[in-house]
């Protein structure tokens, strides 16, 4: 990172209040790299109920893990605090909210788990067909792209024992409950921005970093997923569903590993109709030039005595304005 700048460093120079909450997983800390405020963990994964020793609050160790602590909720608590501080500063804000959910371990609050406890009992074969049908109906997937076959190493659902079906359905329910909780927390962000009058002019960019993950690393299968000592994961059967209709998974260069949808919301800035979908490909490296355009910022050639590599991404702003963007020469 010595020859790079972060979004926060660029936007700070443009007069923005910069805040982050959630997973960092890089060298140094966010407050060393342009963020005015930070809460979260420096580790790649964490215990959702007890945290770990890498949690930080504005550069200082954080250890306030009480019995009600749940990482997804507390990430939002601090994000809301930072939004309030941004409002008091009078500056425009940049908030990077890096939820760790639904990364393993599949730690879920009991009430969120129970909402989905029986939802997945039809199994991965039927549910994958249903998802594909909805994707075709919605226009998300072109019908000429067929549904990839279930690999031989994933058993047919009807070949599983009753106990295995229950176990598989429950660990997918744990995953779903974590996503449900994430959605609830995004609603908290939306509600606060509506209260402050900033919602319509706030650009939301919501994206995952990779396709579904096939790693079976479960420990403590006999423990319920709201027990902090549990460590559930889901396996390839549900990862194959998560990547419908594609093949392969996280860490693979097939579409199942690299294809992640980007959801954008910005009433005051989008020139497209609500619900518009585009198949123009983009990449995470496009976030930097996009936000430079939106914030009317400048990308530096020098920063803090370092020579900075030229930006490689291409702005997504033309797409957000309903235009065709000149694509990358390579990706």
């Amino acid at each position: 990172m010595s020859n790079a700048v972060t979004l926060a460093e660029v936007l700070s120079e443009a007069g923005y209040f910069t805040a982050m909450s959630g997973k960092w997983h890089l060298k140094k800390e966010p407050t060393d790299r342009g963020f005015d405020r930070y809460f979260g963990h420096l580790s790649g994964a964490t215990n959702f109920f007890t945290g770990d020793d890498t949690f930080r609050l504005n550069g200082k160790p954080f250890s306030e893990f009480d019995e009600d602590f749940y990482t997804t909720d507390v990430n939002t608590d601090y994000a809301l605090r930072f939004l309030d501080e941004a409002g008091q500063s009078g500056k425009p804000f940049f908030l990077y909210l890096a939820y760790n959910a639904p990364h393993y371990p599949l730690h879920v609050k009991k009430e969120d788990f129970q909402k989905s406890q029986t939802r997945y009992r039809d199994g991965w074969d039927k549910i994958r067909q249903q998802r594909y049908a909805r994707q075709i109906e919605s226009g998300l997937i072109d019908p000429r792209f067929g549904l990839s076959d279930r690999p031989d190493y994933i058993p047919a659902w009807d070949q599983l024992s009753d106990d295995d079906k229950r176990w598989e359905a429950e660990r997918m329910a744990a995953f779903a409950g974590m996503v449900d909780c994430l959605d609830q927390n995004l609603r908290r962000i939306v509600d606060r921005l509506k209260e402050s009058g900033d919602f319509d002019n706030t650009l939301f960019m919501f994206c995952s970093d990779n396709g579904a993950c096939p790693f079976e690393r479960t420990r403590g299968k006999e423990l319920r997923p709201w027990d902090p000592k549990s460590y559930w994961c889901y396996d390839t059967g549900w990862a194959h569903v998560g990547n419908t209709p594609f093949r392969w998974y996280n860490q693979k260069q097939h579409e199942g590993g690299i294809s992640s949808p980007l959801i954008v919301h910005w009433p005051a800035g989008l020139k497209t109709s609500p619900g518009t979908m585009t198949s123009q490909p983009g990449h995470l490296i496009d976030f930097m030039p996009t936000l430079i355009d939106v914030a009317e910022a400048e990308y530096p050639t020098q920063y803090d005595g370092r020579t900075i590599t030229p930006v490689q991404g291409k702005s997504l702003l033309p797409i957000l304005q309903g235009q065709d963007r000149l694509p990358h020469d390579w990706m």
Side-chain angles (χ1 to χ4, degrees):
M1 292 176 62
S2 60
N3 63 344
V5 284
T6 67
L7 289 165
E9 287 168 337
V10 171
L11 294 178
S12 288
E13 293 292 316
Y16 275 69
F17 183 97
T18 58
M20 177 183 172
S21 185
K23 171 181 172 177
W24 178 241
H25 205 201
L26 294 168
K27 291 182 179 179
K28 295 190 175 182
E29 298 186 19
T31 47
D32 299 319
R33 298 308 305 262
F35 285 96
D36 298 318
R37 302 289 188 275
Y38 172 66
F39 169 79
H41 56 97
L42 309 179
S43 52
T46 190
N47 188 303
F48 283 79
F49 295 109
T50 65
D52 61 43
D53 61 5
T54 73
F55 270 77
R56 298 290 185 272
L57 175 58
N58 298 329
K60 298 180 180 179
F62 175 91
S63 59
E64 298 176 21
F65 307 114
D66 59 29
E67 62 181 12
D68 294 323
F69 184 89
Y70 186 71
T71 299
T72 306
D73 294 336
V74 182
N75 281 340
T76 308
D77 293 342
Y78 280 95
L80 293 174
R81 177 187 298 188
F82 299 155
L83 287 176
D84 288 344
E85 294 178 9
Q88 294 164 9
S89 75
K91 296 180 179 180
F93 69 86
F94 167 63
L95 171 65
Y96 173 39
L97 185 48
Y99 288 114
N100 201 39
H103 196 290
Y104 57 80
L106 301 185
H107 282 158
V108 60
K109 291 184 288 185
K110 186 175 181 179
E111 59 269 26
D112 293 328
F113 173 82
Q114 289 176 329
K115 285 188 278 185
S116 296
Q117 188 166 4
T118 62
R119 181 173 297 171
Y120 297 95
R121 289 182 180 177
D122 285 342
W124 45 59
D125 291 323
K126 184 175 181 179
I127 291 174
R128 193 162 183 267
Q129 291 283 351
Q130 292 170 342
R131 289 193 181 184
Y132 179 62
R134 290 198 300 271
Q135 290 171 342
I136 297 296
E137 182 180 2
S138 70
L140 181 64
I141 297 293
D142 191 311
R144 66 192 176 98
F145 298 118
L147 183 64
S148 59
D149 294 333
R150 173 172 42 78
D152 293 340
Y153 52 80
I154 298 176
W157 184 260
D158 59 14
Q159 293 177 348
L160 299 179
S161 68
D162 289 344
D163 283 346
D164 284 342
K165 288 179 180 177
R166 180 197 56 76
W167 159 242
E168 293 291 355
E170 286 203 342
R171 56 177 170 172
M172 189 60 202
F175 182 92
M178 296 176 75
V179 174
D180 185 342
C181 182
L182 191 155
D183 286 346
Q184 295 171 44
N185 278 279
L186 286 177
R187 169 55 64 183
R188 295 172 63 197
I189 299 292
V190 167
D191 288 346
R192 179 63 60 85
L193 292 173
K194 287 182 176 179
E195 290 171 5
S196 66
D198 295 318
F199 180 70
D200 285 349
N201 196 35
T202 296
L203 169 62
F204 284 81
M205 303 178 73
F206 183 76
C207 189
S208 179
D209 59 346
N210 49 250
C213 181
F215 307 138
E216 171 57 295
R217 297 174 177 176
T218 297
R219 306 188 300 272
K221 179 179 176 180
E222 71 284 355
L223 301 174
R224 304 310 284 163
W226 51 88
D227 187 326
K229 296 185 178 67
S230 69
Y231 200 105
W232 287 18
C233 302
Y234 69 32
D235 203 352
T236 49
W238 290 118
H240 190 55
V241 175
N243 288 333
T244 304
F246 303 129
R247 293 187 297 133
W248 292 102
Y249 323 97
N250 180 18
Q251 295 192 342
K252 302 292 184 181
Q253 301 309 305
H254 292 69
E255 289 297 300
I258 65 173
S259 182
S260 296
L262 171 66
I263 302 171
V264 178
H265 185 273
W266 186 21
L270 285 177
K271 305 302 182 185
T272 55
S273 300
T276 296
M277 290 186 284
T278 178
S279 59
Q280 296 185 65
H283 193 278
L284 290 175
I285 60 174
D286 295 338
F287 278 37
M288 176 69 83
T290 302
L291 296 189
I292 287 174
D293 274 359
V294 170
E296 299 180 348
E298 292 185 11
Y299 189 81
T301 57
Q302 299 280 329
Y303 187 88
D304 196 26
R306 310 189 310 270
T307 299
I308 302 303
T309 300
V311 66
Q312 293 183 328
K314 290 179 176 289
S315 176
L316 298 169
L317 194 57
I319 300 177
L320 306 187
Q321 294 174 339
Q323 304 168 11
D324 289 333
R325 183 188 70 161
L326 188 66
H328 288 266
D329 294 328
W330 53 269
M331 187 177 294

